[in-house]
Amino acid sequence: MSDDIIIDVKNVWKRYGLPPLLPWKRRALHENDCALKDISFQVRRGGSLGILGRNGAGKSTLLKLLAGVTPPDKGSIDIRGSIFPMIELNAGISMELSGIENIHILAAIMGLNNREITDIIPAVEEFSELESWLYKPVWQYSSGMLARLAFSIAVNVKADILLVDEVLSVGDILFEKKCEQKIRALMQKGVTLLFVSHSPSQVERICQYGMILENKELVFFSDSNSAYREYMHRCGRKNTSKKIYNTELEDSTSRPGTGSIRLTHIELRNEAGEKIQQFVVGEKITVILAYESYEYIDNWNISLRIIDKHKNLISLITPNREVIPNTHPHSRSEITVTFNSMPLLGDGYSFTVMFASAVLIDLVEDACYFSVSHTQESSVQTANLGILYLHTQWTYKELQ
C-alpha cells in the first residue's frame, strides 16, 4: 500500500448483526444475509470522502467497521493512523458527567496523557463556546450543545482521521459553518475526513470525493460534484431546476432519519391566503408545513433552510423551543412560518426542511422550489443585481 494511503478497504463483506465466523467454520456468505457486499475503496492522507446512501444502504455498518466496533466477515480494512469516530451525537459521552469530565475521558481514550489533556482543555472551551455549561452534567445539554461538546473534543485530540456522521446537522448554523472551517483547516494540516451524510449538497461543499452505497454495495465513486449529481439522479431528481410547489410528500422509508416524525405536505401562500407559485419581492408569505408523528417526543425542533440554485445556504430559520409542542403517536399537525417581507431576488431557490432531536428525525432537501418576481419599483432600483432587495430612501442636500 502506498505511503500516502491512510485507509484501505478491500473486498469487505459483513453479515447482518452476526459475529465473524470462526476459522473452522466454512458456511458460505449469502448475499441476502449481508449488510455490506464486496466494498473496496481507498482514502489518501489529508483527503476527504463523503459517503452517501439512503436508509438501509449500509452506511452505519460501514462506519462501525471503520471505527473498529466490529470486524468484517470477509476482506480487510487497513487504517494507518488514529481515528476519532463521531458515529452518534452522544457516542462515548457519559450523560451523568460534566462536559469537562467527558473531555478528560475521551481524550484519555484517544491516548493523551494528563499534561496533553490539560493543554487541550482551553482550546475545547474556546471552540465549543459552552462557557460555564462545561461544568454542568451533560444530561442538561440541548442537542445543539451536545454537538458543540462532541465536535470540539474531536477536532482537538489530534486524531489522524475524523469519522463524522450527521452530527453537524443538529447544531446551529453559525456553529455548523465554524465546524466546516475547522475541518478544512485540519485537512490542510493532513487530517483525513470521512463524512457520512444524507445531504449531497453538504458532501459536495465539504469533501473532495464522494461515494454512494445502494443495496449494501458501492455503486459510485468519484469527485464530490459528480457524486452529488449521481445521487440526485438516483433519488429521482433529474431536473433540480424544475419548479415544484405545494408539494405532497410521500412518507418514504428511503428518507433519512428515524422516521418518528415525517413531513407530509409543504405549500406557499400569499397574504390573501392563496397558494402561490412565485411571489413578489418584499411580499408577505407563509410557508405551511404539515407533518405526522408516530411516537412521543418531548425535545425536538424544526429548521427551515433557504438554498439557492448553486446549493449555497442563504438562511436557516428555527423557531423558539416553546413554539414546538411535544408529539404524540399517530397525530397530525401543522406549523406555519410567516415571512413579513421576503427580500430575495431571482429564481432557483428552495426550502429544505429538517426535524431533529439528539438525532436526525426527518430531512427533505429541496422540498419546495420557489422564485421571486419584481415590482416595477424594485426592478428600477436594483436592475436585477444581487440576491437581496433592500428597501431604501435616498435624500439630497446641497451643502454651502
Side-chain angles (χ1 to χ4, degrees):
M1 185 171 69
S2 173
D3 289 340
D4 65 341
I5 300 297
I6 194 170
I7 298 175
D8 190 17
V9 178
K10 291 182 178 178
N11 308 114
V12 164
W13 294 68
K14 183 64 184 178
R15 284 184 172 85
Y16 277 115
L18 296 174
L21 292 177
L22 297 173
W24 57 85
K25 297 291 185 180
R26 298 299 180 189
R27 191 172 74 240
L29 274 170
H30 297 291
E31 290 195 6
N32 291 339
D33 297 333
C34 289
L36 285 176
K37 307 174 186 177
D38 199 21
I39 304 295
S40 297
F41 64 90
Q42 292 181 326
V43 181
R44 295 185 180 277
R45 192 174 301 275
S48 53
L49 173 64
I51 304 173
L52 292 164
R54 299 182 179 188
N55 285 355
K59 301 189 306 300
S60 296
T61 302
L62 180 57
L63 287 179
K64 292 175 183 177
L65 290 170
L66 293 170
V69 174
T70 183
D73 288 296
K74 184 179 178 182
S76 64
I77 297 176
D78 189 359
I79 295 180
R80 294 185 173 182
S82 60
I83 186 167
F84 192 103
M86 296 180 66
I87 297 177
E88 296 176 358
L89 191 59
N90 59 350
I93 292 179
S94 173
M95 304 301 286
E96 299 301 320
L97 299 180
S98 69
I100 285 290
E101 290 168 328
N102 274 288
I103 295 171
H104 279 270
I105 291 173
L106 289 176
I109 291 173
M110 291 300 298
L112 276 66
N113 58 39
N114 287 335
R115 182 175 180 177
E116 290 171 328
I117 294 172
T118 301
D119 289 342
I120 71 166
I121 285 178
V124 175
E125 289 180 324
E126 180 181 2
F127 192 87
S128 68
E129 301 173 2
L130 290 173
E131 300 178 343
S132 62
W133 281 95
L134 279 174
Y135 300 89
K136 297 180 181 181
V138 171
W139 64 264
Q140 297 181 7
Y141 288 17
S142 67
S143 58
M145 294 166 67
L146 194 56
R148 285 173 176 267
L149 175 64
F151 196 87
S152 299
I153 297 172
V155 297
N156 282 289
V157 295
K158 298 182 173 64
D160 300 309
I161 304 165
L162 286 180
L163 183 59
V164 181
D165 180 24
E166 292 300 351
V167 295
L168 291 183
S169 300
V170 182
D172 61 76
I173 185 61
L174 293 178
F175 189 71
E176 182 177 324
K177 286 184 172 293
K178 186 177 180 179
C179 291
E180 290 185 12
Q181 291 171 354
K182 183 66 173 179
I183 285 173
R184 292 188 178 95
L186 289 172
M187 287 191 294
Q188 290 177 353
K189 295 179 179 179
V191 173
T192 304
L193 173 70
L194 266 75
F195 181 60
V196 178
S197 178
H198 289 96
S199 171
S201 59
Q202 198 172 35
V203 166
E204 182 186 33
R205 188 169 66 249
I206 296 175
C207 301
Q208 298 169 307
Y209 298 95
M211 59 183 274
I212 301 173
L213 293 178
E214 192 172 283
N215 297 324
K216 330 302 178 187
E217 298 178 285
L218 198 165
V219 297
F220 190 85
F221 191 109
S222 186
D223 63 89
S224 59
N225 180 262
S226 298
Y228 166 83
R229 294 197 304 269
E230 178 67 17
Y231 187 73
M232 297 299 283
H233 175 83
R234 288 174 179 268
C235 289
R237 302 171 186 169
K238 298 180 182 180
N239 182 7
T240 58
S241 64
K242 181 181 178 181
K243 306 296 186 295
I244 306 172
Y245 308 96
N246 310 317
T247 309
E248 291 290 351
L249 302 165
E250 295 182 0
D251 183 14
S252 171
T253 56
S254 65
R255 294 233 299 265
T258 63
S260 52
I261 306 172
R262 287 297 192 196
L263 181 71
T264 56
H265 179 75
I266 179 172
E267 67 183 36
L268 308 182
R269 291 181 179 267
N270 61 16
E271 193 167 3
E274 302 166 329
K275 293 182 181 180
I276 52 175
Q277 296 186 348
Q278 67 176 9
F279 50 85
V280 176
V281 62
E283 182 180 10
K284 181 177 181 178
I285 68 163
T286 298
V287 182
I288 299 175
L289 305 171
Y291 61 92
E292 293 185 6
S293 54
Y294 303 97
E295 60 184 71
Y296 176 81
I297 303 176
D298 63 357
N299 184 18
W300 68 285
N301 211 335
I302 297 173
S303 69
L304 189 66
R305 301 183 182 213
I306 300 177
I307 310 294
D308 70 10
K309 58 187 174 184
H310 303 296
K311 299 303 173 184
N312 296 312
L313 176 65
I314 301 301
S315 183
L316 182 147
I317 306 101
T318 58
N320 293 330
R321 177 64 190 87
E322 56 268 20
V323 174
I324 306 300
N326 301 336
T327 65
H328 298 280
H330 310 295
S331 63
R332 302 175 65 187
S333 306
E334 187 177 277
I335 287 180
T336 60
V337 186
T338 301
F339 296 84
N340 291 323
S341 177
M342 180 64 81
L344 292 175
L345 297 170
D347 59 10
Y349 297 104
S350 68
F351 287 113
T352 287
V353 184
M354 185 178 75
F355 300 152
S357 56
V359 296
L360 181 67
I361 298 174
D362 193 16
L363 176 66
V364 186
E365 290 195 289
D366 301 330
C368 182
Y369 285 84
F370 66 91
S371 61
V372 187
S373 63
H374 302 272
T375 62
Q376 183 177 4
E377 177 188 6
S378 67
S379 295
V380 171
Q381 288 192 8
T382 64
N384 296 328
L385 297 177
I387 63 170
L388 292 178
Y389 168 59
L390 303 178
H391 184 74
T392 58
Q393 289 183 330
W394 296 63
T395 61
Y396 168 78
K397 180 180 181 180
E398 186 172 345
L399 301 176
Q400 295 182 352

